[in-house]
Amino acid sequence: MSAKFPVAAVGAWLLVAVYYFYQYALRSAPSVMMPQLTSAFGVDALGVSTIVGMFYYGYSPFSLVAGSSLDRFGAKRVIPIGAAVVGIGAMLFATGNVTLANVGRFLQGAGGAFALIGAVYLITKNFPASVAASLIGVTQMFGMAGGSAGQFLVGPMIKGGLSWDRFWIYTGCVGLVISAVLLILLPKETPKPAGGASGGFATLMTSLGRVFRNPQSILCGLISGLLFIPTTILAMTWGVRFVQEARGREFDAAVMLAATVPLGWMIGCPLLGFISDRLGRRKPVILAGALMLTGVLAWVLFGDASVFRGPAVGILMGIASGAAMLPYSVIKEVNPPELSGTATGVVNFLNFTLSALLGPVFGSRLMGMPKGDINLALAHYQAGFKPLLYGTLLALILTLFLRETGPAPKKTSS
C-alpha cells in the first residue's frame, strides 16, 4: 500500500513543493543585498531589517487563513492565489519606495504561507501516515534548497551586476507563472459546505478554536519555533554579518558559511523524517535534534575560530534544526484528520510568530555593537545570541511533555 502512490498526487505535491522553493528563495534573498537595499530605501541597516522582517508579519497570520481555507475550499481554489500574491509582493518590493516595499514584503509572506501548508495538506489527503514525516521533510528540503539558492545563486548575480530591483521584478513574474501553472494542473476538489448561516468565517473560527484549545498544538508550535529560530535569526538574517564582523572572514566566505545551514536542512529534514517514520516514533528524534542543535550553537558562539574554516558547522546546524519539522507531523496526529490544514496552519503560525517577534529584539540588542575590535564584536554577538541556547534547551524540556503519536508505541511502548 505504501509503495504505490497515485501519479497525480505525486505531481500535485511536487508542483507545490516547487512553489515552496520559490518563496523561500525570495525570503532569504535580501540577506545578500543589504548594502544595495540600504542605499535604495534611504534607511540604515536596522531599517532594512525591519522592512525585510515584514515577511513574517504576513506569513504568521496568513498561516491560519491558509490552513482553514484549504480545509474549506481545497488546494486548487486556494494555492494558486498564494503564489500570485507572492509575485505581486516581489514587484512592489522592487519599487524602492519604503511604504510599497513594506506592503510588498508583507504580501510575500502572506502568499508564501500557502506553500508549505498546501504541500502538507496534499500529503495528508493523498499519502499514508507511515510516510507523512518523510514527505514533509522532503518538502522542507525543497524550501531550504530555495533558501540556499537565495544566497548561493543570488549573491553572485548581484555581485555580477544584476541590479537589485531587476531581480525582484523578474522573480515577481516567475511567481505569476507559477500561479498559472498551479491553477491549470492542480486537481479539482469539492468544497466542503460551510455549516450554519454565518458561513465560512464561522467555520474558520470553529476549526481554529478546536486546534488552539488542544494543549498539544501549542507545544508543537513552541517546540518547532524554538528549534527553527536559530537558523532564521542567527544564520539567515545575521549570519553573513556575524561571520564577517565577529570572525573576520571575507564576504564570499561569510555567504558560503551562512548558506550551508539551508544545505543542512536539505539533509536533515528528510533524514529525520525518514528516521521518525522508520522508528514509528516522533519524540526521540525531536529530542536528539534539540540536543544536537544546542551543542552546535554552543560550538558556533563559543568555539575556536577554526570552527569556520569549512562548511561543516553550518551543515550540522541545519541537520539538527531539521527536527523542527517533526511537530508538523505530530500536530496533525493529535487533532482530527478533517482539520489537518488548520492544524498545519496553527503550527506554522506559532513557529513564525516567534521569528516575527524575536527578530527585532535580537536586532536591537546587536545594533549597539562596538566597531573596530574583533574581540569586542565577538563578545557582543555571544551575549546577544546566548538566549538562542536557552531556547533550544527549553524545546528539549517541552518535548518531554509531547504526546507520542507515531504508530510504534502501540506495539512497543515501554
Side-chain angles (χ1 to χ4, degrees):
M1 174 176 141
S2 61
K4 290 186 177 181
F5 302 134
V7 174
V10 174
W13 165 68
L14 282 174
L15 280 174
V16 181
V18 170
Y19 164 31
Y20 189 42
F21 172 98
Y22 161 75
Q23 71 88 14
Y24 224 120
L26 298 195
R27 187 190 309 188
S28 66
S31 66
V32 297
M33 57 181 77
M34 284 296 195
Q36 291 87 348
L37 296 178
T38 300
S39 175
F41 294 130
V43 296
D44 59 16
L46 184 58
V48 173
S49 179
T50 301
I51 296 172
V52 170
M54 284 297 294
F55 181 98
Y56 295 107
Y57 289 96
Y59 195 90
S60 295
F62 274 85
S63 292
L64 303 178
V65 175
S68 296
S69 61
L70 282 163
D71 285 335
R72 172 74 174 84
F73 298 107
K76 188 178 183 72
R77 298 179 65 181
V78 171
I79 298 176
I81 296 174
V85 169
V86 176
I88 293 169
M91 292 179 178
L92 289 176
F93 192 77
T95 61
N97 178 280
V98 172
T99 300
L100 292 179
N102 275 291
V103 173
R105 194 65 177 163
F106 180 91
L107 290 178
Q108 289 173 43
F114 291 79
L116 175 61
I117 297 170
V120 175
Y121 172 84
L122 291 171
I123 290 167
T124 303
K125 283 188 65 71
N126 298 309
F127 299 93
S130 58
V131 298
S134 298
L135 288 175
I136 292 172
V138 173
T139 303
Q140 188 63 23
M141 180 187 73
F142 274 86
M144 297 317 293
S148 182
Q151 295 178 320
F152 265 133
L153 299 183
V154 178
M157 288 180 188
I158 298 298
K159 191 176 180 181
L162 176 66
S163 64
W164 72 273
D165 53 340
R166 288 291 175 187
F167 167 81
W168 290 100
I169 291 171
Y170 296 154
T171 54
C173 294
V174 170
L176 298 180
V177 171
I178 290 174
S179 173
V181 172
L182 289 167
L183 182 62
I184 294 169
L185 298 181
L186 283 178
K188 290 184 178 180
E189 296 178 60
T190 302
K192 298 179 181 65
S198 52
F201 181 74
T203 303
L204 181 149
M205 296 308 296
T206 300
S207 300
L208 289 175
R210 291 176 66 186
V211 176
F212 270 112
R213 284 195 297 269
N214 184 346
Q216 291 288 310
S217 299
I218 307 301
L219 280 178
C220 287
L222 291 176
I223 293 166
S224 183
L226 291 169
L227 295 180
F228 192 58
I229 57 175
T231 58
T232 58
I233 293 177
L234 173 57
M236 299 187 72
T237 301
W238 289 93
V240 172
R241 187 167 176 179
F242 169 66
V243 174
Q244 284 185 281
E245 295 183 351
R247 297 299 189 173
R249 299 295 298 272
E250 64 279 6
F251 174 77
D252 289 344
V255 170
M256 187 274 291
L257 286 167
T260 54
V261 172
L263 291 179
W265 270 80
M266 292 171 61
I267 300 169
C269 289
L271 176 62
L272 297 183
F274 174 77
I275 292 172
S276 176
D277 282 339
R278 291 290 291 177
L279 291 176
R281 303 178 71 93
R282 310 301 187 207
K283 288 176 63 173
V285 185
I286 298 173
L287 288 168
L291 188 61
M292 179 179 173
L293 182 59
T294 302
V296 175
L297 267 177
W299 189 26
V300 167
L301 293 175
F302 301 102
D304 187 82
S306 61
V307 164
F308 295 94
R309 287 179 182 166
V313 66
I315 291 175
L316 289 175
M317 181 185 289
I319 290 173
S321 188
M325 292 310 296
L326 289 173
Y328 281 70
S329 295
V330 176
I331 197 170
K332 295 190 300 84
E333 294 158 351
V334 296
N335 284 288
E338 68 271 16
L339 299 178
S340 62
T342 303
T344 305
V346 167
V347 71
N348 224 37
F349 167 77
L350 293 171
N351 183 349
F352 285 93
T353 295
L354 286 178
S355 292
L357 294 177
L358 294 179
V361 172
F362 280 92
S364 62
R365 284 170 62 91
L366 293 169
M367 286 312 295
M369 181 173 56
K371 307 296 181 183
D373 188 311
I374 293 297
N375 292 325
L376 285 177
L378 177 59
H380 193 94
Y381 273 109
Q382 287 170 337
F385 287 127
K386 190 184 296 183
L388 294 177
L389 279 172
Y390 304 148
T392 57
L393 289 172
L394 178 59
L396 199 72
I397 295 169
L398 293 178
T399 303
L400 299 175
F401 298 93
L402 201 62
R403 186 189 311 166
E404 179 58 76
T405 59
K410 298 175 183 176
K411 304 175 185 177
T412 61
S413 58
S414 52

